[in-house]
C-alpha cells in the first residue's frame, strides 16, 4: 500500500488497506487477499462489485457520450426517471450527485412551498439521532455533534424532536404556524440502525399529522432505499406515501448519483430556474442508474435482501449472547453490544477478512450486497458471532 499522500486534506481516518479489484461480494487487496464486503461501500454497491450487466452498459456509454448539460434533452435521463419512479412509487424526480445534494433539494423545496404559502420563517421538524449530510443546510438537520462542531449550523431553521415522539410533533405543529415539513429517516443508519420505538408505524403517524397541518411529509431514504430493507424503499413497508423522497446510496451501484423525488403536495412546487445542477442527470450517470435498477429487478435482489436479511437476523438473535441487541430490516442489520466496540472493525478485517464498521460507538453495522447468497451470509454470521463472543469475554 502506498504511503499516505501529503497532498490530500486529512479528513478521513483511513484503514491501512487498499483494494485493487472486486467481484460480487468480494474485494481483493493489492497483496491478493480477498475480503468479504459486508459493508457494500457503506450501502452503495448493492449489486456487488463489477456487476457484468452494469459494467457492460456503462462501458458502452463511456465510449459514446458522457455529458451535454441540462440545457438539452437527455434520453438516458428520461429512461432513468421513468424506471426510478416506477420502482419508488413517486411521480417526478430531480437527479443530483449525492445524498446531501438530494436532501438540499428536498429542503429547498420545502422552503419554496412555505414561501408560496406566505410563511415568513419556515421551519422543518427533524429527529434526534438523524444524519442528513455534511453541507451546511443538511448539517443543520443532522443531530451528530461530532460532525456539526465548528460549523455553526443554522439551527433556528429546524426543530428537533425525539425519534418517534409523535406527541411532540403534534404539539409543535399546533403552536408554530411556520412549520412547513417533517423530515426523517425511516431507519437511522448512521445513528446505529435505530428504529423509532413504534417501528415503521411512526411513518404513518407522522404522515397523518402532515396531512392535518398541510405539511410536506419528507423521507430521507439515502441509506434505506434501493432494495436495502427488502422493499424498494422502506416506506413501502407501510400504508403511506411521502410527498418528498430522497435517495442516493445504492442508486447507481457506486457511480455518484442522488435523487429527490416528489409526489402529492410537492408536485408543481419547483418550476424552471428554481433548482439545478451541472452534473446531475448526465447521460453517464443516468445510464448507471437505469442499469442498476434493471439489474435489481431482473435478479430479484429486493426479495433476496428480504429473505437473506431475515435469516441473518434470526441467526444473530439465536446465536449471540443475550447482552447483544439485534435489530434491522432486510440487509440493513445492527448488532448493539453492551460496550464500545470500535476495535472490532480491525479484528474483523485482520482475523476474519470481513469488512464491516461500527457506528454510534457500539453497534456493528452490516450492509452486505443485495446479492449475498446463503453461504456468504453464513460466513458473515459465523464470523460476527465468534468475534463478538471472544471480544465480550475479554471485556
Amino acid at each position: 500500500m502506498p504511503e499516505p499522500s501529503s497532498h490530500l486534506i486529512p479528513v478521513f481516518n483511513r484503514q491501512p488497506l487498499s483494494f485493487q479489484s472486486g467481484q460480487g461480494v468480494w474485494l481483493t487487496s493489492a497483496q491478493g487477499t480477498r475480503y468479504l464486503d459486508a459493508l457494500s461501500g457503506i450501502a452503495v454497491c448493492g449489486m456487488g462489485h463489477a456487476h457484468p450487466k452494469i459494467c457492460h452498459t456503462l462501458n458502452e456509454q463511456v465510449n459514446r457520450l458522457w455529458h451535454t448539460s441540462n440545457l438539452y434533452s437527455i434520453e438516458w435521463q428520461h429512461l432513468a426517471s421513468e424506471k426510478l419512479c416506477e420502482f419508488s412509487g413517486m411521480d417526478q424526480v430531480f437527479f443530483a450527485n449525492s445524498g446531501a445534494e438530494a436532501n438540499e433539494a428536498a429542503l429547498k423545496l420545502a422552503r419554496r412551498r412555505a414561501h408560496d404559502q406566505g410563511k415568513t420563517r419556515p421551519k422543518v421538524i427533524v429527529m434526534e439521532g438523524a444524519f442528513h449530510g455534511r453541507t451546511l443546510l443538511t448539517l443543520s438537520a443532522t443531530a451528530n455533534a461530532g460532525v456539526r462542531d465548528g460549523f455553526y449550523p443554522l439551527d433556528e431553521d429546524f426543530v428537533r424532536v425525539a425519534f418517534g415522539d409523535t406527541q411532540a410533533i403534534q404539539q409543535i405543529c399546533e403552536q408554530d404556524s411556520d412549520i412547513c415539513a417533517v423530515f426523517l429517516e425511516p431507519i437511522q443508519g448512521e445513528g446505529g440502525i435505530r428504529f423509532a420505538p413504534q417501528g415503521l408505524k411512526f411513518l404513518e403517524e407522522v404522515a397523518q399529522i402532515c396531512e392535518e397541518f398541510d405539511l410536506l411529509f419528507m423521507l430521507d431514504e439515502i441509506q434505506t432505499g434501493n432494495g436495502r430493507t427488502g422493499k424498494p424503499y422502506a416506506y413501502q413497508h407501510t400504508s403511506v406515501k411521502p410527498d418528498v423522497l430522497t435517495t442516493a446510496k445504492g442508486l447507481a451501484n457506486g457511480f455518484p448519483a442522488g435523487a429527490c423525488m416528489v409526489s402529492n403536495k410537492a408536485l408543481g412546487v419547483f418550476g424552471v430556474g428554481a433548482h439545478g445542477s451541472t452534473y446531475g442527470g448526465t447521460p453517464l450517470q443516468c445510464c448507471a442508474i437505469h442499469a442498476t435498477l434493471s439489474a435489481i429487478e431482473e435478479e430479484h435482489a429486493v426479495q433476496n435482501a428480504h429473505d437473506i436479511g431475515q435469516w441473518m437476523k434470526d441467526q444473530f438473535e439465536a446465536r449471540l449472547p443475550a447482552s447483544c441487541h439485534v435489530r434491522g430490516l432486510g440487509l440493513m442489520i445492527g448488532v448493539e453490544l453492551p460496550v464500545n466496540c470500535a476495535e472490532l472493525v480491525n479484528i474483523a478485517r485482520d482475523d476474519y477478512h470481513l469488512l464491516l464498521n461500527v457506528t454510534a460507538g457500539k453497534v456493528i453495522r452490516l450492509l452486505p450486497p443485495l446479492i449475498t447468497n446463503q453461504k456468504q451470509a453464513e460466513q458473515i454470521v459465523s464470523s460476527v458471532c465468534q468475534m463478538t463472543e471472544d471480544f465480550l469475554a475479554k471485556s
Side-chain angles (χ1 to χ4, degrees), residues 58 61 100 162 193 195 255 263 288:
L58 268 174
Q61 189 62 35
I193 317 295
F195 291 76
F255 194 96
S263 190

Side-chain angles (χ1 to χ4, degrees), residues 36-76:
L36 204 167
D37 185 3
L39 196 57
S40 305
I42 315 182
V44 169
C45 299
M47 294 305 290
H49 302 282
H51 186 279
K53 178 177 179 178
I54 299 172
C55 287
H56 174 75
T57 307
L58 268 174
N59 283 333
E60 283 194 335
Q61 189 62 35
V62 161
N63 291 313
R64 184 178 294 121
L65 182 66
W66 290 24
H67 177 85
T68 60
S69 90
N70 285 298
L71 294 175
Y72 310 100
S73 179
I74 299 170
E75 182 181 7
W76 271 117

Side-chain angles (χ1 to χ4, degrees), residues 104-274:
E104 283 273 343
L107 292 167
K108 282 181 66 176
L109 189 147
R111 289 187 177 193
R112 171 55 65 92
R113 182 173 185 268
H115 174 269
D116 294 343
Q117 293 175 320
K119 296 184 178 183
T120 56
R121 188 59 192 261
K123 304 183 187 75
V124 176
I125 296 176
V126 292
M127 304 296 119
E128 292 177 2
F131 185 91
H132 295 295
R134 293 177 183 268
T135 62
L136 281 177
L137 189 58
T138 58
L139 194 63
S140 300
T142 292
N144 187 330
V147 300
R148 286 162 51 91
D149 287 351
F151 297 108
Y152 304 100
L154 306 174
D155 285 325
E156 62 268 24
D157 296 330
F158 296 90
V159 180
R160 201 173 306 280
V161 302
F163 190 34
D165 193 341
T166 310
Q167 185 176 359
I169 296 172
Q170 178 79 28
Q171 290 175 346
I172 291 166
C173 292
E174 290 171 351
Q175 296 166 5
D176 191 341
S177 62
D178 279 333
I179 299 297
C180 65
V182 182
F183 191 34
L184 68 143
E185 303 154 276
I187 305 167
Q188 294 184 339
E190 298 297 321
I193 317 295
R194 290 182 64 236
F195 291 76
Q198 61 273 58
L200 294 182
K201 189 176 185 296
F202 179 49
L203 304 188
E204 298 175 351
E205 297 171 356
V206 172
Q208 185 175 352
I209 295 172
C210 288
E211 192 63 31
E212 179 183 350
F213 291 93
D214 193 24
L215 313 176
L216 288 181
F217 173 42
M218 309 202 307
L219 295 181
D220 174 342
E221 294 222 36
I222 304 301
Q223 190 165 146
T224 57
N226 308 303
R228 176 57 52 187
T229 68
K231 290 283 188 182
Y233 287 85
Y235 88 84
Q236 291 165 328
H237 289 280
T238 75
S239 62
V240 296
K241 178 179 176 180
D243 300 305
V244 181
L245 177 68
T246 61
T247 195
K249 296 175 183 290
L251 180 59
N253 213 54
F255 194 96
C260 177
M261 294 169 273
V262 297
S263 190
N264 306 327
K265 297 191 290 291
L267 286 168
V269 175
F270 273 171
V272 174

Side-chain angles (χ1 to χ4, degrees), residues 300-317:
H300 309 289
V302 176
Q303 186 63 47
N304 187 68
H306 172 275
D307 295 344
I308 293 293
Q310 186 61 55
W311 181 87
M312 290 178 66
K313 187 168 175 283
D314 291 344
Q315 290 292 309
F316 282 132
E317 289 174 342

